[in-house]
Amino acid sequence: MAKFDEKARPFSEKWLDERLAVNTLKRVLSTEYWIPKDINFLWAMGMVLAATFGLLLISGIFLLMYYKPDVNMAFDSVNYTIMSEVGFGWLWRHIHGVAASVVFLIIYIHMFTGIYYGSYKKGRELIWISGMLLFVTFSAEAFSGYMLPWGQMSYWAGMVITNLFSGGSLEAYGLVEWIRGDYVPGDAFLTRFFMLHVLLLPLVIIGLIVLHFGTLRIPHVNNQEGAEIDFEEAAELYKAGKKKESKVIPFNPVFLSKDVFVMGVYFILFFYLVFYHFEFAMDPVNFDPADGLKTPPHIYPEWYFLWSYEILRPFPKDPGLIAFGIAQVALFMLPFIDRSPNVAPAHKRGLFFVWFWVFLIDMIVLTVLGKLPPEGIFNTLGAVAAVIFLLLGPALIVITKLEKKL
């Protein structure tokens, strides 16, 4: 048995350290977790995401106290009880709705920052893959949450998305009914998605956040120039007081103070949206109660799913489903599709720089077109944008194979 200092007072630092190794944890995860100096504010998006997830959890717990997961009461519990009868219920709903939408904007900024600076390259593949798993799980969490107000768009979006599991001409309607728990979305459907939203998926997200931070520990965070850093040597310089010569800084308190500053600016903008422009996060069609006999004229998902929805929409049923599936998997494969040995920002990588901007602009075009009705010129433009998206994968292989070593 380990030796303990009998003079240590209960719950003092020494007492806790002897039992929980708190000083070792503090050193490994905080004061001696080294971050490159050469990074900008975009590297703070991870902490902004974690803080926004915290807001979603807290506001979700308050909403959970009054929400009724029953098709006869869900709509009223959200739109009347929480919004009108509960003190500051409207504020918690606005925080939850705005955070659910803004979290995807932060995810996309975080993702495109990683692509631009090559933060998925050799040695950092698991950072990218765990990040993509987080993206997929956040998407499932958002979709399950969208069902809960039980408005018109909740019902019909649930109907359309679950129909995708029929597999087109495979006609696997048994699987669709198994997911819904009925022939059409009803009470079983709502309670299943309620359980997923408030319990199972948040637990998975917390586990994946831990995994994502864990994958960062050994390869360390990338930097703006993609420079190779000897972290042990740079850390020794910092600890020896040669802070100017060292290329790294400790996570706590130096880098964390930068994160806190960025989060301060972010939360000013966030609460501005919560108080003055919360409407963008709440579809007006969803303020009508769910009605299985009245189809809305135009069914569409939330803005963060529109790009993948638009890839599905222009094609016939089976090719559309295949294109949709490829779009979901392709981003996972990015570390293996990019064959270039260079870990460098896109503006130093020739054709990759062009590829990056075509990719970003195409995603924005797909998102805009996904919200518009599928008719006339919009249909043609959507098909062109979807084909460009599908060709970007093979194009990346060719471009990065031809890329010269820097």
Side-chain angles (χ1 to χ4, degrees), residues 53-170:
F53 179 61
L55 268 183
L56 281 166
L57 282 179
I58 294 167
S59 56
I61 289 168
F62 276 94
L63 295 175
L64 191 57
M65 293 176 189
Y66 303 99
Y67 176 74
K68 306 285 186 190
D70 182 299
V71 291
N72 296 314
M73 294 188 281
F75 183 83
D76 286 351
S77 69
V78 172
N79 292 289
Y80 300 114
T81 307
I82 291 173
M83 293 298 288
S84 305
E85 297 176 1
V86 176
F88 295 101
W90 60 271
L91 179 59
W92 290 114
R93 192 186 177 199
H94 288 182
I95 290 174
H96 202 70
V98 170
S101 192
V102 169
V103 79
F104 278 91
L105 178 65
I106 306 300
I107 286 174
Y108 285 126
I109 293 173
H110 197 45
M111 187 188 297
F112 276 96
T113 301
I115 296 172
Y116 189 89
Y117 290 103
S119 300
Y120 54 86
K121 304 283 286 187
K122 192 175 181 181
R124 297 191 174 96
E125 297 93 335
L126 285 177
I127 299 173
W128 177 263
I129 291 170
S130 58
M132 287 306 303
L133 285 171
L134 265 172
F135 171 63
V136 170
T137 316
F138 263 111
S139 300
E141 176 72 353
F143 175 69
S144 59
Y146 196 58
M147 300 299 103
L148 302 190
W150 208 239
Q152 269 290 68
M153 203 54 83
S154 301
Y155 181 91
W156 288 100
M159 178 77 89
V160 170
I161 297 299
T162 49
N163 265 337
L164 295 179
F165 291 90
S166 66
S169 58
L170 291 175

Side-chain angles (χ1 to χ4, degrees), residues 35-36 38-48 110 113-114 116-119 216 221-226 255 259 262:
I35 306 288
D38 183 24
I39 53 180
N40 58 39
F41 76 96
L42 291 170
W43 266 261
M45 292 302 119
M47 288 300 287
V48 173
H110 197 45
T113 301
Y116 189 89
Y117 290 103
S119 300
L216 281 166
V221 177
N222 191 18
N223 55 81
Q224 281 189 158
E225 296 302 317
F255 184 72
D259 273 355
V262 175

Side-chain angles (χ1 to χ4, degrees), residues 11-30:
F11 301 104
S12 65
E13 184 178 344
K14 189 169 186 182
W15 189 89
L16 288 171
D17 189 45
E18 287 176 340
R19 287 156 179 80
L20 297 173
V22 287
N23 284 334
T24 305
L25 284 173
K26 186 179 170 187
R27 183 173 54 79
V28 171
L29 299 175
S30 176

Side-chain angles (χ1 to χ4, degrees), residues 15 17 73 100 176 187 192 243 264 287 308:
W15 189 89
D17 189 45
M73 294 188 281
V176 177
D187 217 40
R192 286 176 185 195
K243 296 182 181 180
F287 283 90
S308 55

Side-chain angles (χ1 to χ4, degrees), residues 101 104 108 135 139 142-143 146 153 157 160-161 280 283 298-314 324 327-328 362-374 378 381-383 385-386 389:
S101 192
F104 278 91
Y108 285 126
F135 171 63
S139 300
F143 175 69
Y146 196 58
M153 203 54 83
V160 170
I161 297 299
F280 82 95
D283 195 313
H298 177 37
I299 301 171
Y300 48 83
E302 285 291 284
W303 72 267
Y304 34 85
F305 296 140
L306 287 171
W307 67 270
S308 55
Y309 179 60
E310 186 59 22
I311 289 172
L312 168 77
R313 208 169 55 167
F324 180 76
Q328 309 310 310
D362 195 49
M363 287 272 282
I364 294 170
V365 170
L366 286 167
T367 299
V368 172
L369 291 170
K371 188 72 181 277
L372 299 172
F378 302 139
L381 290 173
F389 184 92

